[in-house]
Amino acid sequence: MPSPPGKQSWDPAHYARHARFVSDLGMAVVSLLKPLPQEWILDLGCGDGVLTKKLAEAGSRVFGCDGSAAQVRAARKLGLDVCVMDGEALGFAARFDAVFSNAALHWMLRPDAVIDGVWRLLKPGGRFVAECGARGCIASIQRALVEVLERRGIDGKAIDPWYFPTVDEYAARLQRRGFKVDFIASIPRPTPLPGDIIDWLNTLAQSYLRAVAEKERAGLLREVRQLLLPILCDASGRWTADYVRLRFAARKSVESNH
């Protein structure tokens, strides 16, 4: 029987082999954050802690949280102070100078709950700096997955595990909660993959794969690969994913006390 759709699990070793580019390419948003020595920073969706460690190395006092217990265990092996927590239900007693997030917000399907939680955690004047998928991110990959599932009578669109907003949509959400948006942009970022597209799918698209029985997944993957071959694979066999990123920096008003 297929697993319940919408479930993504994380294997830190598999992630490190096939998706390390996610944290490697996250340094641009670290630069936007400009972490300062001794300030308190929350890394929301810290994953295996590779970027969290870079924030700590800047001298900041960093705490991380992630929804995956396996990724949190991997981050703790780096000596980091991290915990398992749902990003849509943040519950820290501490107040932070900044909340940072890389490649995590698009996994959280209740964006207003996330933004509200971040607001409550920030000190007045605190910064919310993040990067996630934007509208159009991996559009060709999603289309191929949906098409192949529909061949099997499965509504692939209903499985979509990601929230990829437009600039205007996300800026409006931030402003409704009271944030001042200092910078926000949608950035096309075609991303060379370290291996085959099947490795990417096995690592990051489990929600779709689990809509079919395990014995059917290899066939599904082959069909998706065939659809994407002329779109995302060059003549030398190198795969590039059609990423589009939403990057922003916002501030909580200094007058805010709630």
Side-chain angles (χ1 to χ4, degrees):
M1 291 293 291
S3 303
K7 298 294 184 182
Q8 169 76 25
S9 61
W10 301 98
D11 178 332
H14 196 79
Y15 182 86
R17 281 196 303 276
H18 301 302
R20 177 53 62 215
F21 63 87
V22 173
S23 55
D24 289 346
L25 294 172
M27 287 308 296
V29 72
V30 173
S31 298
L32 185 62
L33 174 68
K34 298 183 180 69
L36 299 172
Q38 298 306 305
E39 69 175 352
W40 288 96
I41 299 175
L42 173 67
D43 186 352
L44 171 56
C46 64
D48 61 6
V50 169
L51 275 183
T52 322
K53 192 169 191 295
K54 292 186 182 298
L55 296 176
E57 288 168 351
S60 303
R61 293 174 288 191
V62 185
F63 196 85
C65 67
D66 198 275
S68 165
Q71 291 281 58
V72 164
R73 286 193 295 271
R76 284 177 178 158
K77 290 179 181 177
L78 298 179
L80 298 167
D81 195 358
V82 294
C83 73
V84 178
M85 186 174 288
D86 182 349
E88 297 175 355
L90 295 170
F92 291 99
R95 302 291 291 279
F96 292 89
D97 298 291
V99 173
F100 168 86
S101 186
N102 180 62
L105 296 179
H106 54 252
W107 292 99
M108 304 173 200
L109 301 183
R110 296 170 55 226
D112 290 326
V114 176
I115 292 168
D116 185 63
V118 170
W119 174 272
R120 286 184 282 103
L121 294 181
L122 283 172
K123 299 174 183 176
R127 303 165 348 261
F128 182 19
V129 180
E131 183 175 297
C132 61
R135 181 68 55 83
C137 189
I138 57 167
S140 61
I141 297 174
Q142 279 197 290
R143 279 194 299 270
L145 284 161
V146 168
E147 180 177 332
V148 169
L149 286 171
E150 285 180 347
R151 292 175 188 172
R152 292 160 169 79
I154 297 168
D155 183 359
K157 290 180 181 177
I159 295 170
D160 186 356
W162 299 303
Y163 167 64
F164 294 141
T166 65
V167 165
D168 289 346
E169 177 186 349
Y170 207 81
R173 290 185 186 278
L174 289 166
Q175 289 162 348
R176 276 199 303 271
R177 189 60 185 89
F179 280 100
K180 181 182 185 299
V181 179
D182 294 320
F183 170 83
I184 188 166
S186 175
I187 303 165
R189 196 197 68 196
T191 302
L193 301 181
D196 196 272
I197 190 67
I198 286 179
D199 297 325
W200 187 99
L201 293 164
N202 275 320
T203 304
L204 295 167
Q206 293 178 20
S207 301
Y208 291 98
L209 305 185
R210 291 181 177 186
V212 302
E214 189 170 358
K215 64 182 180 181
E216 298 177 33
R217 290 175 195 165
L220 183 146
L221 286 165
R222 284 194 298 271
E223 290 177 43
V224 172
R225 186 183 191 278
Q226 195 62 34
L227 286 173
L228 293 174
L229 194 61
I231 304 169
L232 300 182
C233 189
D234 64 19
S236 65
R238 182 73 184 268
W239 288 86
T240 298
D242 51 340
Y243 276 85
V244 184
R245 311 311 279 169
L246 183 78
R247 190 179 301 162
F248 66 86
R251 283 182 290 121
K252 181 176 180 176
S253 167
V254 292
E255 291 83 21
S256 300
N257 291 305
H258 61 280

